[in-house]
Amino acid sequence: MAQLREMTTGPSLPLIFSFTLPLLLGNLLQQTYSLVDAAIVGKFLGINALASVGASTSVVFLILGFCNGCCGGFAIPVAQKFGARDYVTMRRYVSVSLKIAGVMSVIIALLTSLLCAFILRTMQTPENIFQGAYSYLLVTFIGVPCTFFYNLLSSIIRALGDSKTPFWFLLFSTILNIILDLFCILIMGWGVTGAAVATVFSQGVSAVLCYFYMYRKFDILKTEPSDRRFRPELARQLMYIGVPMGLQFSITAIGSIMLQSANNALGTACVAAFTAAMRIKMFVMCALDSLGMAMATYSGQNYGAGKPGRIWQGIKSASLMMIIYVAVVAALIWGFADKFALLFISADETEIIADTALFLHFNVSFFPLLGMLSILRYSIQGAGYTKLAMFSGVSEMIARVLVSVIIVPLWGFVGVCVGDPTAWLFANLFLIPAFIYVYRRLHVIVTKER
């Protein structure tokens, strides 16, 4: 039987750290997908092809963010029932979530595939990169079921306290993705479409491996026929938690789409700089996302066990780890941002390299805000208050829209650079009082139950 871990006893810092580490490695591998795609496309196919991949980044985040958010939300009742040791209901949640995922992922794939051209036109995608952007986006949307199922299965495994198993499958998938990238682009000559095909196929393989391993090795998940029956009451609860969590990502992405649309209007060079900078930023912020994901499981299990005091201990431990990490990353980015840009851009593209470094300098300076956002938001979600966490996404959206409409037209690419930090600030202004409310609410619930 694979190793499961309860996070309801013991010192919080080593528990969260050891759980976060495999999550971080896994997230780094997922970002390696994006880095490899962008690096190979930028180096072998040129700046226009790199801009084609990046022109729809925010739209991809809108759709895949919704899917990934739903998956994380579906896993929260699993973590809560695991913490409460109600394994029968836990298995039934797992079974129902797989059925819901199958229906949702196919519907999303169909709708988004049909709307690709409309989306890119709405985002003011430059004509010289439109066809490449369309091909990349279409293949990505067709592959939504692969992404949906991998994220759901890995979220369920993490909910049981095992953050290592999804990492090993992702490691295999990343290596496969690199090989397929080179094959599809250099040998088959499929251009940016080949990069998308490689990523989707690799995630599909990872999802299949995850599924078979999970049901063969986790005895606690082995079901009886009655467990596999569709239960509308459990489906409603999963949707009640999962959909707001998915919408939170999508609402955040709407602001990002507005910001990217404003950046697209600045021309191909700004799109290329934005693409390179976002790939680097997403890579270095993996640790903050991983820490937040660990807090979702930690918070969910301790909520299920009726131990809200341990959630506050976890917040303090996670914040300490976040501050140390941010200090190290800030030093690296401030010292070597232009060198990192050379992964995607030729050395003679000096203007694009300078803009890439400028974007990174602005963003990394405000990473403490992003770190606190991740810790608080995921902790609130883990306790089941996903609707409340969703409103932090609304705050981010409002901030990015204001920057896109007011600041970017005045400041140009500098305005694009301040978009994310402004959104993080707005989100934290909501999340801090929201967490205080949730924490007090949990204490009241536990007191009543006793």
Side-chain angles (χ1 to χ4, degrees), residues 298-340:
Y298 178 89
S299 178
Q301 287 195 14
N302 281 285
Y303 170 80
K307 298 179 178 181
R310 284 184 57 80
I311 297 176
W312 174 239
Q313 293 175 14
I315 294 286
K316 292 189 289 185
S317 298
S319 298
L320 175 61
M321 288 185 276
M322 179 268 291
I323 291 169
I324 294 171
Y325 175 77
V326 166
V328 173
V329 167
L332 287 172
I333 293 296
W334 272 98
F336 303 101
D338 54 342
K339 304 296 188 297
F340 294 145

Side-chain angles (χ1 to χ4, degrees), residues 10 17 28 33 36 62 64 172 191 193 202 287 316-317 319-320 360 373 378 388 393 398 441 446:
F17 178 78
L28 287 174
Y33 280 163
V36 168
L62 170 71
L64 299 190
F172 168 80
T193 306
S202 299
K316 292 189 289 185
S317 298
S319 298
L320 175 61
L360 291 171
L373 184 160
Y378 277 102
L388 193 59
I398 292 171
R441 181 71 180 162
V446 170

